[in-house]
Amino acid sequence: HFLQIWIEPSQRGIAPSYEQVHFDVAARRGRLALIASPDGAAGSVRIHQDARVYAGLFDGAEEATLPVLPARRAYVHVARGAAEVNGRSLAAGDALRLEGEASVRIGRARGAEVLAFDLP
C-alpha cells in the first residue's frame, strides 16, 4: 500500500530530496507518532514547511487526541480501515479538513491506519 502526499515547501528553489524511515507498529499502535516535521524531531523525516505529519494505528477502544493550536488547521486521512474523527465516521480513503478545532480526536476504530496533518 503506497500513499503519496505532497506538501508545498515554504520556499522556492529547494533541491529535491527523498527520505525513508521505518516506524514500527509499536510506535504507532493506539497513538499518533510524529513521522514528518520541519526539524526532524523524534526521528521524523524533514520537510521544508511549518507542518507536522503523524501516523497511527487504531482498533477498538484505542484513542488519541492531537492538539491543534489556534490559527492552525488539521487534515486527517484514513488510509485503511475505519475510524471516528471528531465525531465523524470515516472509512478507508476518506479525509477530513478541520479548521477552528482545538484538537483532532480519533477513536472507535476498526483496523484503521490514520494520517493526521498539523498545517499552517
Side-chain angles (χ1 to χ4, degrees):
H1 192 86
F2 181 78
L3 182 64
Q4 185 173 12
I5 297 166
W6 291 75
I7 296 175
E8 188 174 322
S10 59
Q11 58 189 22
R12 292 177 178 242
I14 297 170
S17 63
Y18 177 83
E19 230 178 310
Q20 184 173 338
V21 176
H22 174 77
F23 297 91
D24 65 16
V25 171
R28 297 174 288 136
R29 171 60 51 208
R31 66 186 213 95
L32 290 168
L34 182 65
I35 62 169
S37 66
D39 58 1
S44 63
V45 297
R46 291 178 187 265
I47 56 176
H48 297 281
Q49 181 53 268
D50 179 22
R52 284 149 191 81
V53 182
Y54 299 83
L57 301 169
F58 301 93
D59 198 35
E62 294 173 326
E63 296 180 345
T65 300
L66 177 68
V68 179
L69 296 174
R72 292 192 63 87
R73 300 171 292 145
Y75 178 83
V76 181
H77 180 90
V78 177
R80 89 179 75 187
E84 191 173 281
V85 179
N86 286 35
R88 296 183 180 109
S89 295
L90 301 179
D94 289 345
L96 180 62
R97 185 177 70 190
L98 300 165
E99 293 186 37
E101 299 273 346
S103 63
V104 172
R105 296 172 310 283
I106 300 167
R108 301 184 68 179
R110 294 179 312 283
E113 184 166 3
V114 178
L115 294 172
F117 300 77
D118 171 7
L119 304 167

Short mmCIF file of all heavy atoms in Angstrom, two decimals, residues 26-89:
data_model
loop_
_atom_site.label_atom_id
_atom_site.label_comp_id
_atom_site.label_asym_id
_atom_site.label_seq_id
_atom_site.Cartn_x
_atom_site.Cartn_y
_atom_site.Cartn_z
N ALA A 26 4.65 -0.81 16.99
CA ALA A 26 4.52 -0.44 18.41
C ALA A 26 4.56 1.09 18.60
O ALA A 26 3.89 1.62 19.47
CB ALA A 26 5.62 -1.10 19.24
N ALA A 27 5.32 1.79 17.76
CA ALA A 27 5.43 3.24 17.88
C ALA A 27 4.15 3.94 17.43
O ALA A 27 3.91 5.09 17.80
CB ALA A 27 6.60 3.75 17.05
N ARG A 28 3.32 3.26 16.63
CA ARG A 28 2.10 3.87 16.09
C ARG A 28 0.81 3.28 16.67
O ARG A 28 -0.27 3.82 16.48
CB ARG A 28 2.08 3.70 14.57
CG ARG A 28 3.23 4.42 13.90
CD ARG A 28 3.29 4.14 12.41
NE ARG A 28 3.75 2.78 12.17
CZ ARG A 28 3.21 1.95 11.31
NH1 ARG A 28 2.20 2.30 10.57
NH2 ARG A 28 3.71 0.73 11.16
N ARG A 29 0.92 2.17 17.39
CA ARG A 29 -0.26 1.47 17.90
C ARG A 29 -0.97 2.30 18.96
O ARG A 29 -0.40 2.62 20.00
CB ARG A 29 0.14 0.11 18.48
CG ARG A 29 -0.90 -0.66 19.24
CD ARG A 29 -2.16 -1.05 18.50
NE ARG A 29 -1.95 -1.72 17.24
CZ ARG A 29 -2.84 -1.65 16.22
NH1 ARG A 29 -3.94 -0.95 16.34
NH2 ARG A 29 -2.59 -2.28 15.11
N GLY A 30 -2.21 2.70 18.69
CA GLY A 30 -3.03 3.42 19.66
C GLY A 30 -2.58 4.84 19.94
O GLY A 30 -2.98 5.43 20.94
N ARG A 31 -1.74 5.39 19.08
CA ARG A 31 -1.27 6.76 19.28
C ARG A 31 -0.87 7.37 17.95
O ARG A 31 -0.72 6.66 16.95
CB ARG A 31 -0.11 6.82 20.26
CG ARG A 31 1.15 6.16 19.79
CD ARG A 31 2.23 6.14 20.89
NE ARG A 31 3.56 6.25 20.33
CZ ARG A 31 4.23 7.37 20.18
NH1 ARG A 31 3.72 8.52 20.55
NH2 ARG A 31 5.45 7.39 19.67
N LEU A 32 -0.67 8.67 17.95
CA LEU A 32 -0.21 9.37 16.76
C LEU A 32 1.29 9.65 16.91
O LEU A 32 1.70 10.43 17.76
CB LEU A 32 -0.98 10.68 16.58
CG LEU A 32 -2.44 10.49 16.17
CD1 LEU A 32 -3.21 11.80 16.29
CD2 LEU A 32 -2.54 9.93 14.76
N ALA A 33 2.09 8.99 16.09
CA ALA A 33 3.54 9.15 16.13
C ALA A 33 3.96 10.17 15.07
O ALA A 33 3.50 10.13 13.93
CB ALA A 33 4.21 7.81 15.85
N LEU A 34 4.84 11.09 15.46
CA LEU A 34 5.35 12.09 14.53
C LEU A 34 6.23 11.42 13.48
O LEU A 34 7.20 10.75 13.82
CB LEU A 34 6.16 13.15 15.29
CG LEU A 34 6.71 14.30 14.47
CD1 LEU A 34 5.58 15.15 13.89
CD2 LEU A 34 7.62 15.16 15.35
N ILE A 35 5.88 11.58 12.19
CA ILE A 35 6.66 10.94 11.13
C ILE A 35 7.33 11.95 10.20
O ILE A 35 8.25 11.60 9.48
CB ILE A 35 5.83 9.92 10.33
CG1 ILE A 35 4.67 10.59 9.61
CG2 ILE A 35 5.35 8.79 11.25
CD1 ILE A 35 3.97 9.70 8.59
N ALA A 36 6.85 13.22 10.19
CA ALA A 36 7.48 14.26 9.36
C ALA A 36 7.34 15.60 10.07
O ALA A 36 6.30 15.90 10.65
CB ALA A 36 6.82 14.33 7.99
N SER A 37 8.43 16.40 10.02
CA SER A 37 8.43 17.70 10.69
C SER A 37 9.52 18.58 10.09
O SER A 37 10.42 18.08 9.43
CB SER A 37 8.67 17.53 12.20
OG SER A 37 9.97 17.04 12.43
N PRO A 38 9.47 19.89 10.33
CA PRO A 38 10.49 20.77 9.78
C PRO A 38 11.88 20.58 10.40
O PRO A 38 12.88 20.90 9.78
CB PRO A 38 9.97 22.18 10.05
CG PRO A 38 8.85 22.04 11.00
CD PRO A 38 8.41 20.63 11.01
N ASP A 39 11.95 20.03 11.60
CA ASP A 39 13.24 19.88 12.27
C ASP A 39 13.68 18.44 12.48
O ASP A 39 14.68 18.18 13.14
CB ASP A 39 13.21 20.61 13.62
CG ASP A 39 12.12 20.11 14.54
OD1 ASP A 39 11.37 19.18 14.18
OD2 ASP A 39 11.99 20.66 15.66
N GLY A 40 12.94 17.48 11.95
CA GLY A 40 13.32 16.08 12.10
C GLY A 40 13.16 15.56 13.52
O GLY A 40 13.80 14.58 13.92
N ALA A 41 12.30 16.21 14.30
CA ALA A 41 12.08 15.82 15.70
C ALA A 41 11.66 14.36 15.81
O ALA A 41 10.98 13.81 14.94
CB ALA A 41 11.01 16.72 16.32
N ALA A 42 12.06 13.73 16.89
CA ALA A 42 11.68 12.36 17.23
C ALA A 42 12.00 11.36 16.12
O ALA A 42 11.30 10.37 15.94
CB ALA A 42 10.20 12.29 17.60
N GLY A 43 13.04 11.65 15.33
CA GLY A 43 13.44 10.74 14.26
C GLY A 43 12.57 10.82 13.02
O GLY A 43 12.65 9.97 12.14
N SER A 44 11.74 11.86 12.93
CA SER A 44 10.86 12.03 11.76
C SER A 44 11.66 12.51 10.55
O SER A 44 12.77 13.03 10.69
CB SER A 44 9.76 13.04 12.09
OG SER A 44 10.29 14.31 12.36
N VAL A 45 11.09 12.33 9.37
CA VAL A 45 11.72 12.87 8.16
C VAL A 45 11.55 14.38 8.17
O VAL A 45 10.60 14.91 8.73
CB VAL A 45 11.13 12.25 6.87
CG1 VAL A 45 11.39 10.75 6.83
CG2 VAL A 45 9.67 12.55 6.70
N ARG A 46 12.49 15.06 7.54
CA ARG A 46 12.45 16.53 7.48
C ARG A 46 11.67 17.01 6.27
O ARG A 46 11.84 16.48 5.18
CB ARG A 46 13.86 17.10 7.41
CG ARG A 46 14.64 16.91 8.67
CD ARG A 46 16.05 17.48 8.50
NE ARG A 46 16.85 17.15 9.66
CZ ARG A 46 17.01 17.97 10.70
NH1 ARG A 46 16.44 19.15 10.70
NH2 ARG A 46 17.74 17.60 11.73
N ILE A 47 10.83 18.02 6.50
CA ILE A 47 10.12 18.66 5.40
C ILE A 47 10.35 20.16 5.48
O ILE A 47 10.61 20.70 6.56
CB ILE A 47 8.61 18.34 5.41
CG1 ILE A 47 7.96 18.72 6.76
CG2 ILE A 47 8.37 16.87 5.10
CD1 ILE A 47 6.46 18.52 6.81
N HIS A 48 10.30 20.82 4.35
CA HIS A 48 10.55 22.26 4.28
C HIS A 48 9.22 23.02 4.35
O HIS A 48 8.84 23.72 3.41
CB HIS A 48 11.31 22.60 3.00
CG HIS A 48 12.66 21.98 2.94
ND1 HIS A 48 13.74 22.51 3.62
CD2 HIS A 48 13.10 20.87 2.33
CE1 HIS A 48 14.80 21.75 3.40
NE2 HIS A 48 14.44 20.75 2.62
N GLN A 49 8.54 22.88 5.47
CA GLN A 49 7.26 23.55 5.69
C GLN A 49 6.96 23.50 7.18
O GLN A 49 7.37 22.57 7.88
CB GLN A 49 6.15 22.85 4.90
CG GLN A 49 4.77 23.46 5.01
CD GLN A 49 4.72 24.94 4.68
OE1 GLN A 49 4.84 25.76 5.58
NE2 GLN A 49 4.55 25.28 3.41
N ASP A 50 6.25 24.50 7.67
CA ASP A 50 5.83 24.53 9.07
C ASP A 50 4.63 23.62 9.24
O ASP A 50 3.51 24.06 9.48
CB ASP A 50 5.49 25.97 9.49
CG ASP A 50 5.03 26.05 10.94
OD1 ASP A 50 5.37 25.14 11.73
OD2 ASP A 50 4.32 27.01 11.28
N ALA A 51 4.87 22.33 9.04
CA ALA A 51 3.81 21.32 9.11
C ALA A 51 4.37 20.08 9.81
O ALA A 51 5.58 19.85 9.81
CB ALA A 51 3.32 20.96 7.71
N ARG A 52 3.47 19.33 10.40
CA ARG A 52 3.85 18.08 11.03
C ARG A 52 2.87 17.01 10.59
O ARG A 52 1.68 17.28 10.49
CB ARG A 52 3.84 18.21 12.56
CG ARG A 52 5.06 18.97 13.07
CD ARG A 52 4.79 19.74 14.34
NE ARG A 52 5.89 20.65 14.65
CZ ARG A 52 6.07 21.84 14.09
NH1 ARG A 52 5.22 22.28 13.17
NH2 ARG A 52 7.09 22.60 14.40
N VAL A 53 3.41 15.80 10.35
CA VAL A 53 2.58 14.69 9.91
C VAL A 53 2.71 13.58 10.95
O VAL A 53 3.83 13.24 11.38
CB VAL A 53 3.00 14.17 8.52
CG1 VAL A 53 2.07 13.04 8.07
CG2 VAL A 53 3.01 15.30 7.50
N TYR A 54 1.57 13.03 11.35
CA TYR A 54 1.51 11.97 12.35
C TYR A 54 0.85 10.75 11.74
O TYR A 54 -0.03 10.88 10.88
CB TYR A 54 0.69 12.42 13.56
CG TYR A 54 1.25 13.62 14.27
CD1 TYR A 54 0.98 14.91 13.83
CD2 TYR A 54 2.05 13.47 15.40
CE1 TYR A 54 1.50 16.02 14.48
CE2 TYR A 54 2.58 14.59 16.05
CZ TYR A 54 2.29 15.85 15.58
OH TYR A 54 2.80 16.95 16.23
N ALA A 55 1.25 9.56 12.20
CA ALA A 55 0.63 8.31 11.75
C ALA A 55 0.25 7.49 12.97
O ALA A 55 0.98 7.47 13.97
CB ALA A 55 1.60 7.53 10.87
N GLY A 56 -0.89 6.82 12.86
CA GLY A 56 -1.33 5.98 13.96
C GLY A 56 -2.11 4.77 13.49
O GLY A 56 -2.70 4.79 12.40
N LEU A 57 -2.10 3.74 14.31
CA LEU A 57 -2.87 2.52 14.06
C LEU A 57 -3.87 2.38 15.20
O LEU A 57 -3.47 2.41 16.38
CB LEU A 57 -1.94 1.30 14.03
CG LEU A 57 -0.85 1.34 12.97
CD1 LEU A 57 0.15 0.21 13.21
CD2 LEU A 57 -1.45 1.23 11.57
N PHE A 58 -5.15 2.22 14.86
CA PHE A 58 -6.19 2.20 15.88
C PHE A 58 -7.17 1.07 15.63
O PHE A 58 -7.54 0.79 14.49
CB PHE A 58 -6.96 3.54 15.88
CG PHE A 58 -6.07 4.72 16.15
CD1 PHE A 58 -5.51 5.42 15.12
CD2 PHE A 58 -5.78 5.09 17.45
CE1 PHE A 58 -4.67 6.50 15.36
CE2 PHE A 58 -4.95 6.16 17.70
CZ PHE A 58 -4.39 6.87 16.66
N ASP A 59 -7.61 0.45 16.72
CA ASP A 59 -8.62 -0.59 16.65
C ASP A 59 -9.36 -0.63 17.98
O ASP A 59 -8.77 -0.41 19.04
CB ASP A 59 -7.96 -1.94 16.37
CG ASP A 59 -8.94 -2.97 15.85
OD1 ASP A 59 -9.88 -2.59 15.11
OD2 ASP A 59 -8.80 -4.16 16.18
N GLY A 60 -10.65 -0.87 17.92
CA GLY A 60 -11.45 -1.00 19.13
C GLY A 60 -11.46 0.26 19.98
O GLY A 60 -11.77 1.34 19.50
N ALA A 61 -11.06 0.11 21.24
CA ALA A 61 -11.12 1.21 22.20
C ALA A 61 -9.91 2.14 22.16
O ALA A 61 -9.86 3.11 22.90
CB ALA A 61 -11.26 0.64 23.61
N GLU A 62 -8.94 1.88 21.29
CA GLU A 62 -7.76 2.75 21.21
C GLU A 62 -8.18 4.14 20.74
O GLU A 62 -8.96 4.28 19.80
CB GLU A 62 -6.73 2.17 20.25
CG GLU A 62 -6.15 0.86 20.72
CD GLU A 62 -5.26 0.21 19.71
OE1 GLU A 62 -5.52 0.32 18.49
OE2 GLU A 62 -4.29 -0.45 20.13
N GLU A 63 -7.65 5.17 21.40
CA GLU A 63 -7.99 6.56 21.10
C GLU A 63 -6.74 7.43 21.18
O GLU A 63 -5.81 7.12 21.91
CB GLU A 63 -9.01 7.11 22.10
CG GLU A 63 -10.33 6.43 22.09
CD GLU A 63 -11.29 7.04 23.11
OE1 GLU A 63 -10.83 7.79 24.00
OE2 GLU A 63 -12.48 6.77 23.00
N ALA A 64 -6.77 8.53 20.43
CA ALA A 64 -5.69 9.52 20.51
C ALA A 64 -6.26 10.90 20.25
O ALA A 64 -7.25 11.05 19.53
CB ALA A 64 -4.59 9.21 19.51
N THR A 65 -5.62 11.89 20.85
CA THR A 65 -6.00 13.28 20.64
C THR A 65 -4.75 14.07 20.28
O THR A 65 -3.71 13.91 20.91
CB THR A 65 -6.63 13.87 21.92
OG1 THR A 65 -7.80 13.11 22.24
CG2 THR A 65 -7.02 15.32 21.71
N LEU A 66 -4.87 14.89 19.25
CA LEU A 66 -3.78 15.74 18.81
C LEU A 66 -4.23 17.19 18.97
O LEU A 66 -5.19 17.61 18.32
CB LEU A 66 -3.44 15.46 17.34
CG LEU A 66 -2.36 16.32 16.71
CD1 LEU A 66 -1.00 16.01 17.33
CD2 LEU A 66 -2.32 16.08 15.21
N PRO A 67 -3.59 17.96 19.84
CA PRO A 67 -3.97 19.37 19.99
C PRO A 67 -3.70 20.15 18.70
O PRO A 67 -2.73 19.88 18.00
CB PRO A 67 -3.07 19.88 21.11
CG PRO A 67 -2.49 18.67 21.76
CD PRO A 67 -2.51 17.59 20.74
N VAL A 68 -4.57 21.10 18.41
CA VAL A 68 -4.39 21.98 17.25
C VAL A 68 -4.35 23.41 17.79
O VAL A 68 -5.31 23.88 18.38
CB VAL A 68 -5.54 21.83 16.24
CG1 VAL A 68 -5.34 22.76 15.05
CG2 VAL A 68 -5.68 20.38 15.78
N LEU A 69 -3.22 24.07 17.60
CA LEU A 69 -3.07 25.44 18.09
C LEU A 69 -3.98 26.40 17.32
O LEU A 69 -4.30 26.15 16.16
CB LEU A 69 -1.61 25.88 17.95
CG LEU A 69 -0.59 25.11 18.79
CD1 LEU A 69 0.82 25.56 18.46
CD2 LEU A 69 -0.88 25.29 20.27
N PRO A 70 -4.38 27.49 17.96
CA PRO A 70 -5.21 28.49 17.27
C PRO A 70 -4.51 28.96 15.99
O PRO A 70 -3.28 29.03 15.92
CB PRO A 70 -5.32 29.63 18.28
CG PRO A 70 -5.08 28.99 19.61
CD PRO A 70 -4.11 27.87 19.35
N ALA A 71 -5.29 29.26 14.99
CA ALA A 71 -4.82 29.74 13.68
C ALA A 71 -4.13 28.65 12.86
O ALA A 71 -3.52 28.94 11.84
CB ALA A 71 -3.91 30.96 13.82
N ARG A 72 -4.19 27.40 13.31
CA ARG A 72 -3.64 26.29 12.52
C ARG A 72 -4.81 25.42 12.07
O ARG A 72 -5.91 25.50 12.60
CB ARG A 72 -2.61 25.50 13.32
CG ARG A 72 -1.36 26.36 13.56
CD ARG A 72 -0.19 25.61 14.08
NE ARG A 72 0.34 24.57 13.24
CZ ARG A 72 1.27 24.77 12.28
NH1 ARG A 72 1.72 25.97 12.02
NH2 ARG A 72 1.73 23.76 11.60
N ARG A 73 -4.53 24.58 11.10
CA ARG A 73 -5.54 23.67 10.56
C ARG A 73 -5.08 22.24 10.70
O ARG A 73 -3.89 21.98 10.88
CB ARG A 73 -5.77 23.97 9.07
CG ARG A 73 -6.24 25.38 8.82
CD ARG A 73 -6.26 25.72 7.35
NE ARG A 73 -4.88 25.75 6.83
CZ ARG A 73 -4.53 25.37 5.62
NH1 ARG A 73 -5.42 24.93 4.78
NH2 ARG A 73 -3.27 25.43 5.23
N ALA A 74 -6.00 21.33 10.56
CA ALA A 74 -5.65 19.91 10.58
C ALA A 74 -6.34 19.23 9.40
O ALA A 74 -7.40 19.66 8.93
CB ALA A 74 -6.10 19.26 11.88
N TYR A 75 -5.71 18.19 8.93
CA TYR A 75 -6.25 17.37 7.85
C TYR A 75 -6.02 15.94 8.28
O TYR A 75 -4.92 15.58 8.73
CB TYR A 75 -5.51 17.68 6.55
CG TYR A 75 -5.95 16.87 5.37
CD1 TYR A 75 -7.07 17.23 4.63
CD2 TYR A 75 -5.23 15.74 4.97
CE1 TYR A 75 -7.47 16.48 3.52
CE2 TYR A 75 -5.62 14.99 3.87
CZ TYR A 75 -6.73 15.37 3.15
OH TYR A 75 -7.13 14.63 2.07
N VAL A 76 -7.03 15.10 8.19
CA VAL A 76 -6.92 13.70 8.61
C VAL A 76 -7.33 12.81 7.45
O VAL A 76 -8.36 13.04 6.82
CB VAL A 76 -7.83 13.41 9.84
CG1 VAL A 76 -7.69 11.96 10.27
CG2 VAL A 76 -7.49 14.36 10.98
N HIS A 77 -6.51 11.80 7.17
CA HIS A 77 -6.78 10.85 6.09
C HIS A 77 -6.78 9.44 6.68
O HIS A 77 -5.81 9.05 7.34
CB HIS A 77 -5.71 10.97 5.01
CG HIS A 77 -5.91 10.05 3.87
ND1 HIS A 77 -6.64 10.39 2.77
CD2 HIS A 77 -5.49 8.77 3.67
CE1 HIS A 77 -6.67 9.37 1.93
NE2 HIS A 77 -5.98 8.38 2.46
N VAL A 78 -7.83 8.69 6.43
CA VAL A 78 -7.89 7.29 6.86
C VAL A 78 -7.38 6.46 5.68
O VAL A 78 -8.06 6.35 4.65
CB VAL A 78 -9.31 6.87 7.27
CG1 VAL A 78 -9.35 5.39 7.63
CG2 VAL A 78 -9.78 7.71 8.46
N ALA A 79 -6.19 5.91 5.81
CA ALA A 79 -5.57 5.15 4.73
C ALA A 79 -6.17 3.76 4.59
O ALA A 79 -6.29 3.23 3.48
CB ALA A 79 -4.07 5.05 4.96
N ARG A 80 -6.55 3.18 5.72
CA ARG A 80 -7.22 1.86 5.66
C ARG A 80 -8.08 1.70 6.91
O ARG A 80 -7.87 2.37 7.91
CB ARG A 80 -6.21 0.75 5.46
CG ARG A 80 -5.60 0.15 6.67
CD ARG A 80 -4.63 -0.95 6.35
NE ARG A 80 -3.42 -0.33 5.86
CZ ARG A 80 -2.38 -0.95 5.34
NH1 ARG A 80 -2.38 -2.23 5.24
NH2 ARG A 80 -1.32 -0.31 4.95
N GLY A 81 -9.06 0.81 6.83
CA GLY A 81 -9.96 0.58 7.95
C GLY A 81 -10.99 1.69 8.08
O GLY A 81 -11.36 2.34 7.10
N ALA A 82 -11.44 1.92 9.29
CA ALA A 82 -12.45 2.95 9.58
C ALA A 82 -12.20 3.50 10.97
O ALA A 82 -11.71 2.80 11.85
CB ALA A 82 -13.85 2.36 9.49
N ALA A 83 -12.55 4.78 11.16
CA ALA A 83 -12.37 5.43 12.46
C ALA A 83 -13.33 6.60 12.57
O ALA A 83 -13.81 7.12 11.57
CB ALA A 83 -10.94 5.92 12.63
N GLU A 84 -13.57 6.99 13.81
CA GLU A 84 -14.35 8.20 14.06
C GLU A 84 -13.35 9.32 14.35
O GLU A 84 -12.49 9.17 15.21
CB GLU A 84 -15.27 7.98 15.24
CG GLU A 84 -16.30 9.08 15.41
CD GLU A 84 -17.31 8.73 16.48
OE1 GLU A 84 -18.23 7.96 16.19
OE2 GLU A 84 -17.15 9.25 17.60
N VAL A 85 -13.49 10.42 13.62
CA VAL A 85 -12.61 11.57 13.79
C VAL A 85 -13.47 12.78 14.12
O VAL A 85 -14.33 13.16 13.32
CB VAL A 85 -11.77 11.84 12.52
CG1 VAL A 85 -10.88 13.05 12.72
CG2 VAL A 85 -10.94 10.61 12.15
N ASN A 86 -13.28 13.30 15.32
CA ASN A 86 -14.07 14.45 15.79
C ASN A 86 -15.57 14.21 15.57
O ASN A 86 -16.29 15.08 15.11
CB ASN A 86 -13.61 15.74 15.13
CG ASN A 86 -12.29 16.22 15.69
OD1 ASN A 86 -11.43 15.43 16.03
ND2 ASN A 86 -12.12 17.52 15.78
N GLY A 87 -15.99 13.01 15.90
CA GLY A 87 -17.41 12.67 15.85
C GLY A 87 -17.93 12.28 14.48
O GLY A 87 -19.11 11.97 14.33
N ARG A 88 -17.07 12.26 13.47
CA ARG A 88 -17.49 11.89 12.11
C ARG A 88 -16.92 10.53 11.74
O ARG A 88 -15.72 10.28 11.92
CB ARG A 88 -17.04 12.94 11.11
CG ARG A 88 -17.69 14.28 11.35
CD ARG A 88 -17.22 15.26 10.28
NE ARG A 88 -17.83 16.55 10.50
CZ ARG A 88 -17.18 17.62 10.91
NH1 ARG A 88 -15.89 17.55 11.17
NH2 ARG A 88 -17.80 18.77 11.06
N SER A 89 -17.73 9.68 11.19
CA SER A 89 -17.28 8.36 10.76
C SER A 89 -16.59 8.45 9.41
O SER A 89 -17.15 8.97 8.45
CB SER A 89 -18.47 7.40 10.66
OG SER A 89 -19.04 7.19 11.92
#
